[in-house]
Every structure is written in structure tokens, then in C-alpha cells.
Amino acid sequence: MRKNGHDVFITNEQDIIDVTKEIKSLIVSAIAESLKYEKVEKKCEVSVTLCDNDTIHGLNREYRGVDRPTDVLSFPIFDEDDMGSKAVLGDIVLSLEKARAQAEEYGHSFEREIAFLCVHSMLHLLGYDHEEGRAQESEMFSRQEEILCNMGIAR
């Protein structure tokens, strides 16, 4: 799917939750809004894989050494020195099963949780890291909320 010249490739590798065109559109919008907020002028490519808890659990264990399912993983591959006409930012892997459970736990919509996780992951792809300390965590979380507000998605 394409929005604002950015290409978003969505692959559904789970069969627990129906992936509607509205969900796909929301994912693309969250990615595009993140790039707009961060003033990324270069056209970008992002790959999004939708999966279940078992799949993301295995990836979390393999790549992060954490033996439990998580909600979203970001795999940045962006290199400013190696940019062609489009910047390939990386891959997002999102567990729809975990997103649905967290939406219920936090008392907000499934759509809000998906948008939040996509924005969160995009900021990781763009170099933000909330695990580097309190200041970076605060900055990243503030940006997330502003992007969601720009999308008309508030808590």
C-alpha cells in the first residue's frame, strides 16, 4: 500500500484475527503520520508482518534473548550513507493477538493499540530507543502521543 509516496508492504502470517482493509489502512496511516511528524522528506519503504503470539515469541527469544511473547518488534535496516531514491527503513513485526489482549487490558480500542504499536515501532526504525535512559524514553513516549493525537487517536 502507498501513502504520501511511502510504500508499506503488509504480510499477514496469522489466522486468529481478521485483517480488514481498515486495519491495513490504519497501519499505513500510522507509518505515514510518523514519517510526517519526524519530517522525513525522502520516500520510504517499510515492511509490516502481522503475526500471532507464538511467532513473535520465537522472534523475541531469537533476536532479543527474551523468552516470552511481546507486542511488536522493530528491525531497522536504514543506513543514511546507503540511500537510493527510496530509504528502506526496516521491518515491523506485530502480534495482533497480543495487541488485542493489551487493548482489552488498557481499556481502549484494538485500533488504537495497533496505531500505537506501529508508531512506537516506527520511532525505533528512525533511531529512537526508550531503553537507553529516562530522557530518551520520555522524548520517545511524548512523540508517540503527539503523533497519535495528530491522527485523531487519543487515550
Side-chain angles (χ1 to χ4, degrees):
M1 297 178 77
R2 180 174 283 196
K3 184 159 188 169
N4 300 341
H6 304 296
D7 289 321
V8 180
F9 302 99
I10 300 173
T11 305
N12 181 23
E13 294 187 356
Q14 58 83 52
D15 59 7
I16 296 169
I17 295 169
D18 184 34
V19 178
T20 64
K21 65 180 180 180
E22 289 82 13
I23 288 174
K24 290 179 182 178
S25 180
L26 176 63
I27 290 167
V28 173
S29 292
I31 289 169
E33 189 62 40
S34 298
L35 292 168
K36 179 180 171 186
Y37 181 86
E38 289 296 316
K39 297 178 177 55
V40 175
E41 294 181 18
K42 186 161 240 6
K43 300 307 176 201
C44 299
E45 290 182 10
V46 176
S47 171
V48 179
T49 301
L50 306 173
C51 68
D52 58 25
N53 283 348
D54 288 342
T55 300
I56 209 160
H57 183 164
L59 292 169
N60 204 25
R61 182 177 49 243
E62 180 178 348
Y63 290 100
R64 295 182 63 229
V66 179
D67 193 16
R68 68 176 184 270
T70 190
D71 46 15
V72 68
L73 293 170
S74 308
F75 296 97
I77 57 174
F78 176 67
D79 182 356
E80 283 189 64
D81 297 330
D82 189 29
M83 290 185 356
S85 61
K86 272 200 178 188
V88 179
L89 294 182
D91 303 317
I92 295 171
V93 180
L94 192 153
S95 171
L96 290 181
E97 185 178 5
K98 187 76 164 173
R100 181 175 62 191
Q102 287 180 173
E104 291 172 10
E105 178 184 341
Y106 301 141
H108 56 240
S109 72
F110 178 56
E111 291 76 13
R112 191 236 183 251
E113 188 66 15
I114 289 172
F116 168 80
L117 293 173
C118 288
V119 169
H120 181 86
S121 195
M122 279 302 297
L123 291 175
H124 278 304
L125 293 184
L126 293 169
Y128 292 92
D129 189 354
H130 56 86
E131 296 178 9
E132 294 279 325
R134 285 292 212 197
Q136 281 194 338
E137 178 183 63
S138 177
E139 179 182 358
M140 185 174 173
F141 290 0
S142 173
R143 288 175 182 274
Q144 289 170 172
E145 289 305 316
E146 288 179 29
I147 293 166
L148 291 170
C149 284
N150 289 347
M151 293 178 67
I153 301 173
R155 284 189 177 227

